[in-house]
Amino acid sequence: MLGKDLYKIEVNAELSSERLRSLVFFYGPLIGNEALVMYEYLVLKGGKYAFSQINELLMSLNMSIDDFEFYCIKLNEYRLLKTLKKEDHYIFIFNDPLEMRQFMKDDILVRDFILKTSGEHFRELTADIYEQSDHNGFEDVSSTLSLDTLQDWRPQDESYLKIKKADAYEFGTMFDVNVFLKDISLNLLPQRFRTMENMKELATLADLYNISYDKMRTYLPRVARTDSDAFDLKELRYLCMNARTDYKKIDKDVYDVPCLSFLMSLQDGKEVTDYDKKIIYRLSERYHLSVPVINVLLEHGLKNCNNSLIENYLYPIASNLHRNDIRTSKDALQMLSRPYAKNTAKEEKLPVYDASANQALSASQEEELLKLMGKK
């Protein structure tokens, strides 16, 4: 292993309090304090899905390459770390320690522990696990909650209990967040980041820019940093907008596909520009249009604007689609196929003054009037 070699980290560990106790009390004496600290530091730091030089890791650990390799071997031996190698690329996969009871059932590990410490230390450490408190002769004098506290409960209150709390994300998107999160550990995406707002934006961006489950997974370490309390939606938008996608021809009249793929198909495989990608996002974020409706509007805009996407043309139409609650491609096609009603209001005209009924003035009257007006 060389400092210039490349590495990335994957973490398949969630250190519960029970596993942490086992790590400190059982694994610690076996692997040594230095390897224990390195394991805890890298697990808490989280996964790194982009390859970097091992030298960078050594600087953060303040450790030599020889020491690092030695500690990795120790962690390998006790199955806390799995090391994969391909030429000069390494993948370090950190695993959970066994819980204390599981450790004690492992024939090799428990014997190795007794040999490296002592049988007396092992018995002392595990005594409280097997020891059961003797309750004989004791009377249960615990207070209980009186049912009188429910005397004001009404039949209509019972209806609240029948509402099942939602345990899944339902956004109506093609990207299924529930499927995506099924294999995502809390270490990679902590619970505090799994809000409705964050997950909806994640699913929407995946639909707009054709982001697969695997590709979205690689973005998580950059947007859900364990050392931060904020989910970086701005960085996620940047990553999704700049992701490359393979060209696939979309069949005619099929609109339930990612917008980026749909637009690329409309332009015969040409890469979608940053300008057009931003238009797609605005149609979703500002005008709240669904993906199929956005695709219908993109197609409509290209047909009516000489194969160009012009913001001043698209946005007023998008506003009308939103105002009329158009959510499906069928409804969008019907609305855009209808000509806009012309203004039939009568043109406002100034009244024509009729002087036929005016009284004729004599010459003397006209002269007098002119004097009054100061014109003579």
Side-chain angles (χ1 to χ4, degrees):
M1 188 181 297
L2 301 175
K4 65 180 181 180
D5 291 343
L6 301 178
Y7 84 100
K8 68 177 181 177
I9 290 176
E10 297 179 10
V11 179
N12 291 332
E14 297 179 17
L15 289 179
S16 64
S17 59
E18 179 63 26
R19 292 185 189 277
L20 186 58
R21 288 181 63 204
S22 177
L23 178 68
V24 173
F25 295 128
F26 279 151
Y27 288 88
L30 302 180
I31 63 178
N33 289 335
E34 292 82 2
L36 176 65
V37 171
M38 187 180 86
Y39 172 87
E40 291 177 328
Y41 174 79
L42 293 178
V43 168
L44 293 174
K45 186 177 180 181
K48 181 179 179 64
Y49 281 81
F51 281 100
S52 302
Q53 281 198 356
I54 292 180
N55 278 328
E56 298 178 12
L57 180 59
L58 297 178
M59 289 181 62
S60 65
L61 293 170
N62 192 26
M63 171 181 306
S64 69
I65 184 67
D66 292 335
D67 287 341
F68 176 74
E69 189 167 9
F70 175 77
Y71 300 145
C72 283
I73 292 173
K74 280 291 182 184
L75 295 174
N76 289 154
E77 291 174 347
Y78 291 95
R79 304 192 296 273
L80 294 172
L81 173 68
K82 183 177 182 180
T83 304
L84 306 180
K85 181 182 180 183
K86 181 180 180 183
E87 298 177 351
D88 62 346
H89 285 60
Y90 288 84
I91 300 177
F92 301 117
I93 304 174
F94 287 88
N95 299 314
D96 261 328
L98 296 176
E99 293 183 355
M100 297 189 76
R101 289 181 180 274
Q102 294 173 328
F103 187 98
M104 293 160 61
K105 292 179 181 179
D106 190 296
D107 293 336
I108 296 178
L109 291 181
V110 72
R111 285 167 172 78
D112 186 33
F113 180 84
I114 292 174
L115 288 175
K116 284 186 170 62
T117 58
S118 69
E120 290 76 12
H121 177 64
F122 174 74
R123 282 187 175 181
E124 180 182 351
L125 191 62
T126 59
D128 60 334
I129 296 179
Y130 289 109
E131 182 179 345
Q132 300 213 354
S133 181
D134 185 6
H135 295 172
N136 289 331
F138 287 83
E139 179 185 357
D140 187 353
V141 293
S142 304
S143 299
T144 58
L145 181 66
S146 173
L147 293 179
D148 292 340
T149 58
L150 299 180
Q151 62 182 351
D152 294 329
W153 186 260
R154 301 166 301 174
Q156 53 264 41
D157 294 327
E158 196 71 23
S159 62
Y160 295 116
L161 299 178
K162 298 178 181 178
I163 301 176
K164 183 180 179 181
K165 185 177 180 180
D167 55 358
Y169 299 94
E170 297 295 342
F171 303 130
T173 53
M174 293 176 287
F175 186 95
D176 192 330
V177 174
N178 302 296
V179 173
F180 174 67
L181 294 178
K182 196 172 183 180
D183 298 320
I184 303 295
S185 71
L186 290 175
N187 189 274
L188 182 58
L189 183 63
Q191 188 65 43
R192 66 181 183 275
F193 295 140
R194 304 187 183 205
T195 64
M196 285 291 180
E197 178 186 0
N198 290 341
M199 294 302 97
K200 184 177 182 180
E201 180 74 356
L202 182 146
T204 300
L205 289 169
D207 280 5
L208 295 178
Y209 300 114
N210 192 29
I211 308 299
S212 66
Y213 295 121
D214 290 338
K215 187 180 293 184
M216 186 64 79
R217 180 188 176 96
T218 65
Y219 295 162
L220 291 181
R222 293 181 58 176
V223 301
R225 296 174 58 86
T226 54
D227 58 353
S228 172
D229 292 328
F231 189 78
D232 197 339
L233 291 175
K234 184 177 180 181
E235 177 69 9
L236 182 61
R237 287 193 288 271
Y238 172 82
L239 293 170
C240 292
M241 284 187 181
N242 288 276
R244 300 187 66 86
T245 188
D246 295 331
Y247 170 59
K248 180 181 179 181
K249 185 65 179 176
I250 306 299
D251 294 337
K252 184 177 175 57
D253 298 330
V254 175
Y255 299 97
D256 293 330
V257 293
C259 297
L260 192 71
S261 300
F262 184 82
L263 183 55
M264 185 178 286
S265 182
L266 290 179
Q267 52 198 37
D268 298 324
K270 292 185 179 67
E271 187 174 351
V272 177
T273 65
D274 291 344
Y275 174 84
D276 292 343
K277 290 177 182 177
K278 290 178 181 177
I279 289 179
I280 290 173
Y281 182 75
R282 291 190 187 104
L283 291 174
S284 171
E285 191 267 339
R286 293 185 182 178
Y287 298 97
H288 312 289
L289 301 184
S290 65
V291 166
V293 174
I294 292 176
N295 288 337
V296 170
L297 181 54
L298 294 175
E299 183 181 61
H300 177 81
L302 292 177
K303 285 182 179 179
N304 291 275
C305 297
N306 195 26
N307 205 35
S308 300
L309 293 180
I310 302 175
E311 291 177 280
N312 290 340
Y313 179 82
L314 294 173
Y315 293 160
I317 301 176
S319 181
N320 287 334
L321 291 168
H322 171 63
R323 182 181 300 107
N324 290 278
D325 198 27
I326 302 300
R327 304 298 301 169
T328 68
S329 57
K330 180 180 178 181
D331 290 342
L333 288 168
Q334 289 179 350
M335 181 172 176
L336 295 181
S337 65
R338 296 194 299 266
Y340 288 102
K342 295 182 179 180
N343 186 5
T344 57
K346 295 182 180 179
E347 183 180 354
E348 185 177 352
K349 295 182 179 179
L350 293 175
V352 178
Y353 184 72
D354 185 7
S356 61
N358 289 351
Q359 182 179 359
L361 297 177
S362 64
S364 60
Q365 288 175 325
E366 184 176 350
E367 184 178 1
E368 186 66 25
L369 180 59
L370 292 174
K371 285 180 181 181
L372 292 173
M373 296 173 62
K375 294 184 177 182
K376 190 170 180 179

